[in-house]
Amino acid sequence: MPELPEVETSRRGIAPHIVGETLLHAVVRHPQLRWPVSEEIYQLSDETVLSLERRAKYLLLELKHGWIIIHLGMSGRLRILSEDTPPEKHDHVDLVFSNGKTLRYTDPRRFGAWLWETDLTQSRVLRHLGPEPLSEAFNAEWLIQKSVTKKIAIKPWLMDNKLVVGVGNIYASESLFQAGIHPDRPANGLSHLESERLVASIKAVLQRSIEQGGTTLRDFLQSDGKPGYFTQQLNVYGRAGEPCLHCGTPIMSGRHAQRSTYWCPSCQH
């Protein structure tokens, strides 16, 4: 599943092609994704794109009277193409622009979403989200405040979008490794110093991944069709049995909340 860095990479790649441009119309080839494509999207005509933002793993395309909310789901991707590029089997939604370009949404599993909202504060998919991990609102004090009553293992807790958005499975494992914290540790057992270290690690890992263009896993591609490169820099994720790049101890693996977890038993305590 594309995670926050992949979505941010897509946003940065797409924005220069559509912000300030006129959206002529939408083409919806498959109306049923995770939820039905909002009826308002079918009716769009001659609308100027004011901005393209990101909230968690949602892309927010701003028009004069509202927002298109896009989620890539498990296998979705967005590309900028020439408007005369023929659609293929899994190309479900196009936004056609007056500059001759099309923003095309491809999603083999159809777990993504295209929704319309006039007021983002009222959006059912956005209103319960925690702070952005790269914002000042996500800090050690916030982490400690939220952890007081949490006996859950820290790794799945970090993946709760009500705590902080966008720290998916890959980046939770990588951030805990960089912070030297074992993924089985109870969340309420973190010291203030450990919380500061963990927050700093999360920000650094995500920022580095964004700069590298996202992590290539399975079928993720950037908006220009190129893969991301952060996979080359993973320290623990997907490396079970291989030597730790820092100390040489074999990397361990396990599962938390049905998701794979990776850690170094020597570097993480």
Side-chain angles (χ1 to χ4, degrees):
M1 177 182 292
E3 297 195 34
L4 184 150
E6 286 80 19
V7 179
E8 178 62 21
T9 297
S10 291
R11 187 195 70 78
R12 294 183 182 190
I14 291 165
H17 298 282
I18 68 171
V19 174
E21 301 293 341
T22 300
L23 170 56
L24 296 178
H25 62 273
V27 178
V28 180
R29 299 186 187 86
H30 202 296
Q32 182 63 50
L33 300 175
R34 181 177 182 184
W35 303 291
V37 175
S38 295
E39 289 293 331
E40 292 86 348
I41 294 174
Y42 291 76
Q43 301 165 12
L44 293 173
S45 175
D46 295 325
E47 294 266 7
T48 300
V49 176
L50 303 179
S51 70
L52 181 63
E53 309 295 336
R54 179 192 55 76
R55 179 71 171 106
K57 292 190 281 187
Y58 293 92
L59 288 173
L60 311 175
L61 194 154
E62 182 185 10
L63 304 173
K64 183 177 181 180
H65 300 294
W67 301 76
I68 301 174
I69 301 175
I70 304 169
H71 194 283
L72 299 179
M74 296 184 70
S75 61
R77 62 186 175 111
L78 292 163
R79 291 172 294 159
I80 296 292
L81 304 170
S82 171
E83 64 179 330
D84 58 2
T85 305
E88 298 182 355
K89 180 179 179 181
H90 301 298
D91 295 340
H92 303 313
V93 182
D94 284 357
L95 297 183
V96 181
F97 291 88
S98 61
N99 61 1
K101 295 180 180 178
T102 293
L103 177 62
R104 177 162 291 169
Y105 176 68
T106 304
D107 188 355
R109 300 184 186 180
R110 300 205 307 271
F111 285 167
W114 280 66
L115 305 173
W116 176 263
E117 184 58 70
T118 55
D119 182 358
L120 291 182
T121 64
Q122 300 303 312
S123 168
R124 60 190 173 94
V125 298
L126 300 179
R127 61 190 177 198
H128 300 301
L129 295 175
E132 289 285 327
L134 300 179
S135 71
E136 292 183 2
F138 179 60
N139 52 47
E141 286 69 27
W142 170 263
L143 209 61
I144 290 172
Q145 173 190 338
K146 293 296 181 180
S147 69
V148 173
T149 61
K150 301 296 183 180
K151 298 180 180 180
I152 182 176
I154 193 165
K155 195 260 188 169
W157 182 62
L158 287 177
M159 295 171 62
D160 183 351
N161 279 327
K162 293 180 181 178
L163 171 70
V164 58
V165 300
V167 184
N169 196 41
I170 302 168
Y171 303 111
S173 285
E174 289 295 307
S175 298
L176 286 167
F177 172 78
Q178 183 166 312
I181 297 170
H182 197 287
D184 283 334
R185 288 268 302 277
N188 63 358
L190 287 182
S191 68
H192 193 281
L193 182 61
E194 287 174 324
S195 296
E196 288 183 338
R197 197 163 66 229
L198 181 55
V199 167
S201 296
I202 289 170
K203 292 177 184 287
V205 166
L206 289 174
Q207 188 60 52
R208 189 165 71 248
S209 181
I210 290 169
E211 291 169 357
Q212 289 292 322
T215 303
T216 298
L217 288 177
R218 297 180 181 172
D219 43 22
F220 170 71
L221 294 173
Q222 299 181 56
S223 57
D224 59 4
K226 297 178 182 178
Y229 302 104
F230 189 65
T231 299
Q232 301 171 16
Q233 298 186 7
L234 295 177
N235 286 295
V236 290
Y237 190 88
R239 299 189 62 246
E242 297 179 27
C244 173
L245 299 177
H246 288 202
C247 72
T249 303
I251 298 298
M252 303 289 290
S253 67
R255 298 187 75 81
H256 289 99
Q258 287 75 56
R259 304 297 299 277
S260 297
T261 302
Y262 300 87
W263 70 94
C264 173
S266 296
C267 294
Q268 294 172 255
H269 306 284

